[in-house]
Amino acid sequence: MKDWNEECAVFGVWGDPEAARMCFLGLYAQQHRGQEAAGVALLSEKPDSRSGKLDHKVIKGEGLVADVLGRLRVETEEASAGIGHVRYSTSGKKSSYNIQPIAAKLYNGPVSIAHNGHLTNAHIVKDQLKEKGAIYQGTSDTETILHLIAQSRTDDLVESLKLAMPQVEGAYSLLVLGHNKMAAMRDPWGFRPLSLGVRETQDGKKAWVLASETCAFDLIGAQFVRDIEPGEIWWVDENGTHSAKLDLKRPTKQCVFEHVYFSRPDSIVFGQSVYLARQAMGIELAKEKPVEADVVIPVPDSGVPAALGYSKESGIPFDFGVIRNHYVGRTFIQPSDQLRQFSVKMKLNPQAAVLKGKRVIIIDDSLVRGTTSRQIIRLVKQAGAKEVHFRVASPPTTGPCYYGVDTPKKEDLIACQMSEDEICKAIEADSLAYLSLESLKTSVLKNQTHSKEYSYCQACFDGKYPTEIFEH
Ligand code: AMP
């Protein structure tokens, strides 16, 4: 079993009297990255009576941001700094101990952590720590980071991170709140995103904000400053902002799946508009895999930008052939295939008015297990479509992810089990085609502002894992 810490979002704020409200809104904007649980750790206004250090107030629970944090009236809390987290649901056991931020009272004062990513060697480090007497409460790899910080025995949070983090491998975009500072950190490969922004507070001062995705800044009226760099530790305290680099050189390997599926289209991720990247994927797909048809329809919402790109390039009109019920969660979270099939129907309703008698191209961002596509194709045919051509705006998914995206095991990946022709039959399409890896690369580089180099991890498509993978 994988440790629990997949596909999450983090948010942090420092120097804002409305910190609690900002955390609420920052998480609300990033709800798509995690719908199972939400939480915040706020820096309290009053010092602890014994240590004299400012303590943390942690508020968290299972459910959506508005339900959990709204019900607990987080936005009314008084705090000038805080960090928050939303977590995604995958298969496996649930434990309230895994809900983040994870907080503890350590040698150097209270510490709370919010983590997006997945550590590949956490179970090895965990066993070593347990042998030395460490007590674990949950199954999250984030707890291992907390233990490593605790073991560093320095009074300084940043020094303890510099000692702790080289002991773990894998993906982490971290926010860490101490009693007198807040730190942000990205692993040396830069797998997961983490951006820095600034916001003017009610009293005209400058507050620093951090988020997995820039769409959180838009909601709270913050300006994007820059991305935290791979291997960078950035922190803010009473003396201002600081930055240092971990002494670990790695090639940058940002997750290309953030562009394909995971991030919100209105975010700028790794220096590239996600929306434009997806649209470019659709344009490239139309160039590479054309087919005669009457209408291009997206699988909403994830296929919309690529379908627009496909339609633009091919000249075939775009339309909404299936309508999405927005009050149903992501179908991927359903544990069994049967349940997943039913939830596709709950979520998507085909429109005969658009589909009847037509040759239809359906565009989706990815084809993973094949369950969703088969179900959608059936619905579209039942609504009267004459032909259904399925086009996927990414290459065949052939590798599980060990860096924080919940991609299933090889046996559940349809492209590992069948040829393209067999998949086409299995999903009951008249034709099937994927975007090539080369064109994915072209699409992601098209509107890049940071660098013209392709510095992405695409292990889910090519099986080339940048780090050692420790199976367990
Ligand atoms: P399926 O082929 O039935 O496994 O489903 C593929 C659909 O799930 C695509 O429409 C994607 O939008 C979505 N999807 C792909 N990867 C993930 C993921 N890691 N988590 C949640 N949804 C995903």
Side-chain angles (χ1 to χ4, degrees):
M1 194 193 89
K2 269 206 247 176
D3 277 343
W4 272 75
N5 192 24
E6 331 275 345
E7 293 188 357
C8 309
V10 296
F11 181 84
V13 54
W14 181 271
D16 194 331
E18 289 187 287
R21 183 196 300 275
M22 292 308 120
C23 282
F24 177 89
L25 294 173
L27 295 178
Y28 190 82
Q30 300 185 93
Q31 184 76 81
H32 62 292
R33 294 181 75 89
Q35 293 138 29
E36 180 190 300
V40 295
L42 302 168
L43 192 62
S44 74
E45 299 285 271
K46 293 186 206 93
D48 179 78
S49 55
R50 277 187 63 212
S51 68
K53 289 172 177 167
L54 292 183
D55 212 347
H56 293 177
K57 179 159 186 181
V58 182
I59 304 170
K60 55 187 184 178
E62 274 176 28
L64 300 174
V65 175
D67 297 340
V68 179
L69 303 183
R71 184 170 29 86
L72 298 169
R73 303 196 38 84
V74 159
E75 73 282 4
T76 61
E77 293 289 333
E78 280 185 24
S80 61
I83 60 170
H85 188 267
V86 287
R87 206 174 91 218
Y88 197 78
S89 172
T90 60
S91 58
K93 61 178 178 214
K94 287 191 177 187
S95 161
S96 57
Y97 289 119
N98 293 336
I99 301 177
Q100 297 196 33
I102 295 187
K105 289 193 168 47
L106 304 185
Y107 172 78
N108 41 10
V111 173
S112 296
I113 302 192
H115 171 204
N116 172 211
H118 184 254
L119 306 179
T120 48
N121 68 341
H123 57 294
I124 299 172
V125 180
K126 187 176 182 175
D127 287 347
Q128 291 161 355
L129 288 165
K130 276 184 177 169
E131 265 171 37
K132 287 193 217 155
I135 299 165
Y136 274 77
Q137 308 222 46
T139 53
S140 139
D141 49 358
T142 310
E143 240 181 293
T144 296
I145 301 176
L146 204 53
H147 278 293
L148 290 173
I149 292 175
Q151 297 229 328
S152 66
R153 310 252 166 147
T154 129
D155 207 16
D156 185 88
L157 183 64
V158 171
E159 285 312 308
S160 68
L161 280 169
K162 285 185 191 163
L163 292 168
M165 297 319 285
Q167 299 178 59
V168 294
E169 181 60 280
Y172 52 87
S173 279
L174 276 188
L175 293 181
V176 189
L177 186 66
H179 68 96
N180 59 359
K181 57 178 67 110
M182 177 176 75
M185 203 172 172
R186 247 174 110 197
D187 65 72
W189 307 92
F191 285 111
R192 309 252 72 89
L194 186 59
S195 299
L196 173 67
V198 69
R199 175 180 183 271
E200 193 178 321
T201 64
Q202 274 172 341
D203 46 2
K205 297 203 178 108
K206 200 155 117 177
W208 293 99
V209 289
L210 290 133
S212 296
E213 283 188 42
T214 60
C215 61
F217 298 162
D218 300 336
L219 184 60
I220 60 168
Q223 275 76 50
F224 170 80
V225 175
R226 66 177 179 85
D227 284 342
I228 300 298
E229 285 171 29
E232 180 184 0
I233 310 178
W234 176 96
W235 70 100
V236 56
D237 57 19
E238 58 183 4
N239 301 317
T241 66
H242 319 263
S243 167
K245 278 267 187 172
L246 277 185
D247 196 15
L248 290 172
K249 295 267 170 300
R250 301 275 188 270
T252 301
K253 293 286 176 193
Q254 303 162 132
C255 168
V256 79
F257 208 70
E258 291 278 353
H259 279 307
V260 169
Y261 171 76
F262 208 59
S263 295
R264 240 171 77 158
D266 49 339
S267 287
I268 309 293
V269 170
F270 310 136
Q272 154 84 296
S273 147
V274 175
Y275 182 80
L276 291 182
R278 283 184 196 158
Q279 211 175 74
M281 288 170 207
I283 292 173
E284 295 304 314
L285 187 61
K287 286 186 198 159
E288 249 186 4
K289 309 285 161 65
V291 57
E292 276 191 29
D294 305 308
V295 66
V296 175
I297 69 162
V299 175
D301 292 325
S302 57
V304 172
L308 282 167
Y310 196 101
S311 162
K312 230 187 207 174
E313 179 62 30
S314 64
I316 303 170
F318 171 96
D319 221 329
F320 281 102
V322 282
I323 301 298
R324 177 168 168 190
N325 177 343
H326 280 99
Y327 304 94
V328 183
R330 285 185 173 185
T331 51
F332 218 79
I333 62 176
Q334 302 294 342
S336 79
D337 264 11
Q338 228 181 2
L339 260 179
R340 205 173 297 117
Q341 278 187 25
F342 183 65
S343 36
V344 170
K345 208 166 170 184
M346 279 175 69
K347 195 159 116 175
L348 300 173
N349 197 21
Q351 294 208 76
V354 171
L355 301 168
K356 201 160 183 207
K358 301 265 179 65
R359 294 169 301 167
V360 179
I361 303 177
I362 306 182
I363 310 279
D364 204 358
D365 63 282
S366 57
L367 205 161
V368 184
R369 296 177 169 97
T371 339
T372 319
S373 33
R374 181 171 50 234
Q375 194 67 9
I376 291 168
I377 291 167
R378 271 187 198 165
L379 293 174
V380 167
K381 285 198 166 165
Q382 281 161 11
K386 203 161 67 181
E387 289 172 21
V388 176
H389 302 278
F390 206 79
R391 293 290 176 274
V392 188
S394 62
T397 306
T398 49
C401 180
Y402 299 97
Y403 309 121
V405 172
D406 174 38
T407 318
K409 297 187 293 269
K410 263 188 182 296
E411 19 330 350
D412 296 324
L413 295 172
I414 196 165
C416 290
Q417 306 302 328
M418 295 182 193
S419 69
E420 228 167 280
D421 280 349
E422 288 168 338
I423 299 172
C424 182
K425 279 203 193 86
I427 63 171
E428 300 166 16
D430 293 292
S431 80
L432 164 72
Y434 292 89
L435 186 70
S436 70
L437 258 177
E438 212 31 56
S439 295
L440 177 67
K441 189 169 161 180
T442 312
S443 318
V444 168
L445 284 180
K446 223 172 196 169
N447 302 287
Q448 190 67 253
T449 54
H450 281 21
S451 117
K452 287 289 161 208
E453 268 186 30
Y454 184 76
S455 37
Y456 283 87
C457 169
Q458 51 184 31
C460 51
F461 302 127
D462 69 3
K464 291 184 187 147
Y465 295 95
T467 67
E468 199 177 339
I469 302 300
F470 307 91
E471 291 287 358
H472 64 117

